[in-house]
Amino acid sequence: MSKALEGVRILDMTHVQSGPTCTQLLAWFGADVIKVERPGVGDATRGQLRDIPDVDSLYFTMLNHNKRSVTLNPKTETGKAIFAKLIEECDVMVENFAPGAIDRMGFPWEKIQEINPRMIYASVKGFGPGPYEDCKVYENVAQCTGGSASTTGEIGRFPMVTGSQIGDSGTGLNLALGIVTALYHREKSGRGQRVTCAMQDGVLNLCRVKLRDQQRLAHGPLKEYPQYPNGEFGEAVPRAGNASGGGQPGWIVKCKGWETDPDAYIYVITQAAAFTGLAKAMGREEWLDEDHEWSTPEGRLPHLDQVFNEIEKWTMTRNKFEVMEILNPLNVPCGPILSMKELAEEPSLRATGTVVEVDHPERGKYLTVGNPIKLSASPSEVDRSPLLGEHTDEILIDVCGMSAEEIEAAKADGAV
Ligand code: COA
């Protein structure tokens, strides 16, 4: 079966996480991703958070599957000529350096277009145009400046970042979509274009329900928030603990074993249409009596803390999987808190390729997260990440058309 992006060649100038997640996705779909790394140094993540001495870290390997690695310094004269040739031969260039870094290498967008008018040039930056456009940004900075930290955390306590890398991997997803959209547009227009994604924008996009609530706040208290009816609302959307962001109230409740297992919890949504089944399953038919104040969704809203306290008394008598088995057939949406250990061991995730075991020549076998997007006609296979400069010679010969002597000379002057 052919791959969806077969024939698309990507000049991958990305590092750390946001850019590499984007190009890894494109590689999984079959693009030829040529990762350019500084000679002798490489992507900084190769050496960060290492678990095995002198071996590429999991941080690096889990973000750079299915790519080829070429070492190249575009700041040298020979390096500039090779880089220009790569721009000529590639369809897409992706980078997520600090603002201005590619310009400082001597390759502003105008020059890239001059070399290859069909080039799609895609960048991740921390911020879009405005007061912070020149700032360097990492994940948690994006979470804090994009609205996520302000709206995440316990009620009345400090702002909190989440374990999901919504600024980095989230923005990488946006960039990948921008690139394939620009490729589609190029089919019709014959020209490339600039694709830019700001991490702040990406996080805010994922926090849209909180901007919704910010505007609802002007018209009265947010009744599904735990601050209602006894707490206070200020001028901005408050942190709401584990309250659901949708129209159906939800909360995390303890299950059997919570005293010793930090993940013995389940999220339960008291969906209005399924409340009858939920009450019956718990043996609390009295909640359904017409004159009981919890019998309607509106009646339950001011008492959600008590409702979930009662639900918890029941969930604490069963483990999280038993609770799910009882509630799912009743159409009560619920989700056990699954630990990374449980996810790593889950057979169905292995079967779908969402969790994949990969073999690496230096580290041996390790687990990674595979492609979360499944295409029926061109499924993804996950191949190991490249060693630093593993494909330098073959890329310089096949893509740049260089001779063995020219490559030796380029190595001698530190260009590759
Ligand atoms: N050969 C020679 N030099 C190279 C090179 C190569 N192959 N690849 C990169 N470099 C140089 C760059 O030219 C730049 O040098 P300059 O500043 O002198 O022009 C430098 O290496 C790397 O730059 P920078 O991006 O500033 O790295 P950093 O480690 O200081 O900052 C980030 C890292 C992530 C904070 C920054 O890149 C950034 O803000 N990126 C945009 C937002 C982003 O993607 N953040 C999330 C990362 S997960």
Side-chain angles (χ1 to χ4, degrees):
M1 264 187 279
S2 71
K3 299 281 183 208
L5 292 182
E6 213 167 273
V8 176
R9 191 175 271 157
I10 314 265
L11 179 53
D12 181 9
M13 299 290 290
T14 67
H15 69 157
V16 202
Q17 184 177 168
S18 68
T21 49
C22 163
T23 51
Q24 176 170 263
L25 267 178
L26 302 173
W28 279 335
F29 288 132
D32 177 15
V33 175
I34 299 172
K35 185 171 173 95
V36 175
E37 297 181 81
R38 201 191 310 217
V41 180
D43 187 326
T45 59
R46 284 187 186 268
Q48 284 173 359
L49 309 176
R50 271 189 175 149
D51 52 334
I52 304 173
D54 304 323
V55 169
D56 284 340
S57 69
L58 286 165
Y59 195 6
F60 177 84
T61 54
M62 291 176 74
L63 287 162
N64 290 286
H65 293 107
N66 299 50
K67 302 180 186 180
R68 298 198 282 167
S69 166
V70 58
T71 52
L72 175 67
N73 184 346
K75 290 177 174 168
T76 65
E77 275 318 303
T78 314
K80 280 192 203 309
I82 297 172
F83 193 54
K85 183 67 180 161
L86 284 170
I87 292 175
E88 209 178 305
E89 295 298 326
C90 289
D91 300 283
V92 181
M93 174 169 152
V94 193
E95 64 88 24
N96 68 308
F97 290 126
I102 299 284
D103 295 20
R104 289 194 290 278
M105 285 179 181
F107 292 88
W109 172 219
E110 296 71 28
K111 174 139 186 208
I112 293 168
Q113 276 176 299
E114 218 174 88
I115 300 170
N116 181 356
R118 286 174 60 79
M119 174 61 86
I120 288 155
Y121 176 24
S123 304
V124 170
K125 296 290 166 253
F127 295 95
Y132 307 120
E133 63 187 313
D134 293 328
C135 297
K136 294 191 178 189
V137 168
Y138 283 108
E139 172 67 44
N140 289 344
V141 176
Q143 288 195 24
C144 291
T145 56
S148 178
S150 163
T151 53
T152 304
E154 291 177 37
I155 302 135
R157 304 217 49 217
F158 45 80
M160 198 165 272
V161 295
T162 119
S164 312
Q165 305 287 284
I166 55 178
D168 279 342
S169 287
T171 308
L173 278 168
N174 290 348
L175 197 70
L177 179 60
I179 290 168
V180 292
T181 306
L183 278 169
Y184 183 70
H185 185 257
R186 193 179 74 172
E187 290 296 304
K188 294 179 278 180
S189 68
R191 291 194 66 83
Q193 61 180 305
R194 193 91 168 79
V195 179
T196 50
C197 289
M199 294 167 72
Q200 182 186 40
D201 300 3
V203 172
L204 180 57
N205 177 56
L206 297 174
C207 290
R208 97 183 35 242
V209 300
K210 298 299 179 179
L211 187 56
R212 172 201 68 193
D213 292 347
Q214 180 62 42
Q215 295 168 85
R216 289 173 61 223
L217 195 54
H219 301 281
L222 304 169
K223 293 185 179 170
E224 76 284 11
Y225 275 56
Q227 286 81 353
Y228 180 79
N230 302 318
E232 298 253 313
F233 286 91
E235 287 184 352
V237 171
R239 292 182 269 287
N242 288 314
S244 153
Q248 310 287 351
W251 200 255
I252 288 180
V253 287
K254 292 171 183 158
C255 293
K256 196 170 174 178
W258 66 274
E259 298 91 336
T260 51
D261 176 357
D263 291 305
Y265 291 82
I266 192 164
Y267 200 98
V268 177
I269 297 178
T270 57
Q271 177 159 253
F275 192 75
T276 303
L278 179 66
K280 284 183 180 164
M282 296 188 308
R284 304 302 296 270
E285 280 90 344
E286 74 272 16
W287 293 350
L288 306 172
D289 292 344
E290 248 173 55
D291 55 354
H292 197 286
E293 56 183 352
W294 296 5
S295 63
T296 63
E298 299 72 36
R300 289 192 288 276
L301 269 184
H303 305 287
L304 287 179
D305 51 345
Q306 294 163 48
V307 172
F308 284 109
N309 273 343
E310 292 301 318
I311 292 174
E312 188 170 67
K313 282 182 193 161
W314 177 77
T315 56
M316 279 164 67
T317 64
R318 290 167 170 80
N319 75 40
K320 60 189 178 187
F321 299 109
E322 290 166 348
V323 173
M324 190 163 184
E325 252 169 55
I326 296 169
L327 295 189
N328 260 343
L330 304 173
N331 288 329
V332 177
C334 56
I337 306 304
L338 296 182
S339 68
M340 273 301 142
K341 183 171 185 298
E342 287 166 325
L343 289 165
E345 291 165 357
E346 171 57 44
S348 63
L349 295 178
R350 299 287 185 102
T352 57
T354 297
V355 175
V356 188
E357 190 175 82
V358 183
D359 206 358
H360 185 276
E362 292 180 343
R363 73 163 33 254
K365 289 191 180 1
Y366 66 95
L367 284 186
T368 195
V369 181
N371 194 344
I373 305 166
K374 321 289 185 198
L375 298 189
S376 64
S378 51
S380 305
E381 284 133 35
V382 180
D383 300 328
R384 71 170 175 86
S385 58
L387 303 175
L388 178 60
E390 186 177 344
H391 306 96
T392 299
D393 285 18
E394 71 178 46
I395 287 165
L396 295 181
I397 294 167
D398 298 345
V399 182
C400 301
M402 288 170 71
S403 66
E405 294 74 38
E406 286 170 327
I407 294 173
E408 279 320 305
K411 283 181 181 167
D413 77 6
V416 297

